[in-house]
Amino acid sequence: MKRHFFVISLLMLISVWVFFAIKAGEEKTSYQSFQGNIFGTRYQVQYHAHEQLDMDAAEIQAQVEKLLQRIDKIASTWKANSEISRYNRAVAKDEFQLSDELREIITLSEQLKTSTGGAFDIHHQGEEIDVSAIAKGYAVDRIAEYLHDELAIQNFLVEIGGEVKARGHNAKAEPWKVAIYIPPSHSHIVGPRVTLSNTSIATSGLYFRENHIKNAETGHAPDHDLLSCSVIHPSNTTADALATALYVMGAEAGLAWADQNEVEAIFIKSDGSIIKSVQAQR
Amino acid sequence: MKRNVVSLTIAVLFLTLAVTGVMGFFLPFNILTVSVHALLGFVFIGSIALHLKNNFRQLKNYFTSKTALLVILCVAALVAVILLQPKPVLAILGLSKNLGPAADRFELKDTKMIYNYTPAPHYKMQLNFKGGRAFDAEKPPRVAIWLENTSRYHLKTLYHSKAPDAQQMLPYWHYKKSEYEKYKAESEAAEKAGKKQSEDVDALSSATPNESFDPADYIVPKDPEKETPYRLLIEINAPDDGNEHYPDQPSLVYVVEVDNKHPRSYQVLDLVGYPKSEMDEEEGEIEWSLLYADGTITTAHDLFDSALLLIERSDPIK
């Protein structure tokens, strides 16, 4: 009898343990993630799968990739048949039928060119344009919009090639934590960390790809001791473009611009010093 | 032969074969590893024959038991599973760095050159060059064939001539490959640093990192529905083909873009230009770029009449 009691108690204990283990597993798996390659770089999405969400991660990824590929077909200068390549080849640019997306990107780029005094400029070689410095940020915003507006996801993080936008909180119920990357050549620097909730961050620097950022006036890569420049802004499209513009300006002029325009900016210099705009210090 | 000698030989050979087998699977193709593994394999077979002879009576008893049938069935089932190549088997095979070269073959014939490449059982690639007026199999042209990603980084050299002057005669390929080796090392170091820095955060914000350098991600992507365009390039240069403009005409580079999302069986390679070097004053390094092949290039154009890429794809999921 005693033995039966012991066995039954043990079984009950195991059942309770299994029940809680399964529940804990469910809690944990309600945060999903996926990643892939796009625009010649990598992307990742992390999100909280709420109970009403009737799509699994693979279905959401398929939709996200459709969006990314649409933007790639519009903005890729690598593809000969992309909209931007056809636009650049067009003789009569005024007559070219621009898609809504490319028109939006060009309009915003022109506004940012004016406000940054030409530090951000999508024009190369006369009338030709290259929107690579803003397209990733634009794509991050479109995916964030899809997750929030169409799928009603309240907690997510989207990252494309180092441009990050986050909303709500992470799986630990904390604001999303993002570190600014430091290349191995400067491993003595500790990368600053920021918390993101309903905002985004974009970073520019030349440590991965040399000479891809050029000063429009000189046509050469900026000659200063800035390792990277990060901008925090609710719109990742704007953050992406401003990070490039402020990187081109350099720490001193970039900081002055950021303070004057109340922009959150973080400059990391090669010697390890980290300079934050007034907005970023708050 | 004495039992103890045979048993010890088998044990030592087995250990050597196990080590070279694992190395052969996980490390990039190395002729020395494969030679040791293959040739010692034959010695191992001989030793096993002696072992069977020494233990024939016991083995005979084993093979008359029910266990023998079970073991035979289990091994047959394993062989069948490997031959059918379901997803888990493909995933294990995918860990190998060494399955491609076995199906990698370059043939030079009197009037043509053929290059076969089979990166996966369901994906066969053949480059077919039909020789032109200037093609001379007796004095074969130097050739390099490689793949590039959308950022125009070299991904993998599929083939290059083994002649001692190949690097000098194929400067564009050599430049691209050297750049790739430099960037790959930097990219790996950057990735390692990135992993460490992202240990206790949700993401990293950085300048744009490079995409994958793994050719398998482009040629045989895990999801065939994804757009993974890549470029296949060939650089070709005939020795001693001087003309009135050059003591030896430069190499020519041809390219074809492949995208598995939009599969095509036949694609023609297009001429993109000839390589020319210039000094990058800022970096202090020599850079190579491609220039339009104008009228100064004459017979080099006639090395082949046509260059065709054929790709045979079948369903990867069996």
Side-chain angles (χ1 to χ4, degrees):
Chain A
M1 187 65 190
K2 267 186 181 174
R3 197 173 166 183
H4 281 156
F5 178 74
F6 174 73
V7 171
I8 290 166
S9 304
L10 192 68
L11 282 173
M12 281 174 71
L13 208 67
I14 290 170
S15 308
V16 170
W17 180 76
V18 167
F19 174 77
F20 280 107
I22 290 170
K23 284 299 282 179
E26 278 174 5
E27 283 293 316
K28 208 175 172 185
T29 53
S30 65
Y31 269 82
Q32 307 278 342
S33 67
F34 53 85
Q35 52 275 317
N37 291 324
I38 195 73
F39 309 151
T41 187
R42 301 154 197 178
Y43 79 88
Q44 61 147 329
V45 173
Q46 299 176 43
Y47 66 96
H48 175 246
H50 58 77
E51 283 177 7
Q52 285 76 37
L53 190 65
D54 57 358
M55 289 167 79
D56 62 22
E59 289 169 316
I60 295 175
Q61 182 169 17
Q63 291 304 314
V64 163
E65 295 219 336
K66 254 189 199 171
L67 273 170
L68 290 173
Q69 278 160 14
R70 174 163 169 78
I71 297 168
D72 195 36
K73 272 181 189 148
I74 290 169
S76 169
T77 45
W78 192 80
K79 291 184 171 167
N81 214 25
S82 68
E83 184 180 340
I84 198 163
S85 297
R86 285 185 282 114
Y87 174 81
N88 281 335
R89 284 196 302 271
V91 181
K93 299 224 175 341
D94 293 343
E95 291 169 21
F96 191 90
Q97 287 288 315
L98 289 169
S99 63
D100 291 345
E101 290 94 332
L102 191 55
R103 185 178 296 109
E104 195 182 343
I105 292 171
I106 293 174
T107 307
L108 182 62
S109 299
E110 293 303 334
Q111 287 167 1
L112 289 168
K113 182 184 173 182
T114 310
S115 65
T116 60
F120 181 75
D121 192 352
I122 57 170
H123 290 272
H124 300 286
Q125 299 165 356
E127 283 194 303
E128 277 198 13
I129 57 168
D130 182 344
V131 295
S132 309
I134 195 170
K136 287 193 305 296
Y138 180 80
V140 166
D141 282 337
R142 295 292 76 77
I143 292 169
E145 215 169 72
Y146 168 71
L147 296 173
H148 182 258
D149 297 356
E150 291 194 33
L151 304 181
I153 296 174
Q154 301 301 322
N155 304 296
F156 61 79
L157 178 144
V158 180
E159 185 238 323
I160 303 177
E163 324 301 9
V164 190
K165 186 166 193 168
R167 190 178 177 91
H169 55 73
N170 64 16
K172 294 176 194 160
E174 294 166 355
W176 297 92
K177 265 190 260 174
V178 177
I180 297 175
Y181 174 80
I182 303 294
S185 55
H186 293 75
S187 55
H188 60 285
I189 306 172
V190 178
R193 285 157 187 228
V194 293
T195 52
L196 295 183
S197 193
N198 307 341
T199 191
S200 77
I201 182 168
T203 298
S204 274
L206 291 176
Y207 44 78
F208 285 135
R209 301 177 185 197
E210 294 166 14
N211 297 328
H212 78 282
I213 300 173
K214 288 183 178 166
N215 185 318
E217 277 180 25
T218 63
H220 297 294
D223 183 20
H224 51 53
D225 62 347
L226 206 49
L227 191 63
S228 71
C229 171
S230 305
V231 169
I232 299 160
H233 194 278
S235 155
N236 201 239
T237 318
T238 304
D240 197 5
L242 285 183
T244 305
L246 300 193
Y247 182 84
V248 168
M249 288 182 199
E252 205 174 307
L255 184 68
W257 190 95
D259 283 340
Q260 196 183 346
N261 291 275
E262 297 183 353
V263 165
E264 282 186 65
I266 302 170
F267 301 86
I268 303 176
K269 294 174 88 170
S270 303
D271 63 5
S273 53
I274 294 165
I275 305 162
K276 292 182 179 181
S277 68
V278 174
Q279 290 291 317
Q281 290 170 29
R282 285 179 185 169
Chain B
M1 198 180 280
K2 280 189 175 178
R3 280 170 182 267
N4 61 342
V5 176
V6 173
S7 299
L8 277 170
T9 309
I10 286 175
V12 175
L13 281 173
F14 173 75
L15 195 68
T16 314
L17 289 177
V19 170
T20 52
V22 170
M23 283 170 72
F25 186 84
F26 285 107
L27 299 179
F29 178 79
N30 181 306
I31 190 70
L32 294 177
T33 311
V34 173
S35 303
V36 170
H37 188 78
L39 297 180
L40 283 187
F42 288 117
V43 183
F44 188 69
I45 292 167
S47 308
I48 289 292
L50 289 172
H51 177 70
L52 292 178
K53 191 184 156 211
N54 286 343
N55 299 282
F56 186 71
R57 199 175 297 163
Q58 291 94 320
L59 277 166
K60 202 178 158 189
N61 287 339
Y62 291 160
F63 272 95
T64 50
S65 69
K66 279 182 183 171
T67 315
L69 185 66
L70 191 68
V71 168
I72 290 168
L73 284 175
C74 285
V75 172
L78 262 177
V79 170
V81 167
I82 293 169
L83 289 176
L84 287 170
Q85 301 209 327
K87 272 185 178 176
V89 172
L90 285 175
I92 295 168
L93 289 176
L95 299 173
S96 174
K97 303 270 186 228
N98 191 24
L99 293 175
D104 190 354
R105 202 171 69 244
F106 185 82
E107 292 172 62
L108 180 73
K109 298 188 176 174
D110 284 351
T111 56
K112 62 182 175 182
M113 296 185 295
I114 298 170
Y115 173 71
N116 287 291
Y117 179 55
T118 308
H122 63 279
Y123 200 97
K124 289 180 184 163
M125 197 184 265
Q126 187 182 75
L127 261 174
N128 222 311
F129 307 96
K130 194 177 163 206
R133 278 177 295 170
F135 181 80
D136 182 358
E138 295 294 314
K139 277 167 51 181
R142 310 294 184 256
V143 178
I145 304 164
W146 74 100
L147 305 176
E148 282 185 3
N149 66 13
T150 53
S151 305
R152 307 212 169 173
Y153 283 115
H154 167 289
L155 285 173
K156 181 183 173 75
T157 293
L158 299 179
Y159 171 81
H160 68 90
S161 300
K162 304 295 180 288
D165 60 357
Q167 291 187 356
Q168 187 196 337
M169 289 190 65
L170 305 167
Y172 191 65
W173 159 72
H174 180 57
Y175 166 71
K176 284 281 191 170
K177 188 169 174 283
S178 309
E179 287 286 289
Y180 153 78
E181 278 157 5
K182 193 175 93 182
Y183 284 124
K184 189 166 185 266
E186 282 175 7
S187 174
E188 281 167 359
E191 195 153 316
K192 205 171 154 192
K195 268 189 188 159
K196 200 174 169 200
Q197 290 174 41
S198 60
E199 270 170 6
D200 55 349
V201 291
D202 299 299
L204 282 179
S205 180
S206 68
T208 312
N210 288 307
E211 65 192 316
S212 165
F213 280 109
D214 184 352
D217 285 348
Y218 302 86
I219 311 170
V220 280
K222 288 183 186 100
D223 180 359
E225 284 302 303
K226 275 188 192 173
E227 280 199 37
T228 53
Y230 63 93
R231 286 152 50 102
L232 185 145
L233 295 96
I234 172 167
E235 185 173 14
I236 188 163
N237 195 357
D240 309 322
D241 63 344
N243 64 11
E244 58 181 298
H245 304 285
Y246 300 96
D248 187 13
Q249 289 179 76
S251 59
L252 290 179
V253 177
Y254 296 78
V255 69
V256 62
E257 190 183 323
V258 183
D259 189 342
N260 292 316
K261 179 87 189 289
H262 309 287
R264 287 155 70 188
S265 301
Y266 299 89
Q267 283 181 257
V268 178
L269 276 82
D270 296 318
L271 175 67
V272 273
Y274 71 94
K276 192 164 171 56
S277 65
E278 56 183 4
M279 179 59 98
D280 181 344
E281 300 295 343
E282 275 180 36
E283 298 292 323
E285 289 174 359
I286 290 175
E287 282 194 344
W288 288 83
S289 51
L290 294 174
L291 298 186
Y292 173 70
D294 57 18
T296 60
I297 314 276
T298 52
T299 54
H301 282 295
D302 300 325
L303 273 173
F304 49 82
D305 276 346
S306 63
L308 198 64
L309 174 69
L310 294 94
I311 298 178
E312 201 180 294
R313 303 169 177 86
S314 56
D315 188 356
I317 301 153
K318 306 250 173 107

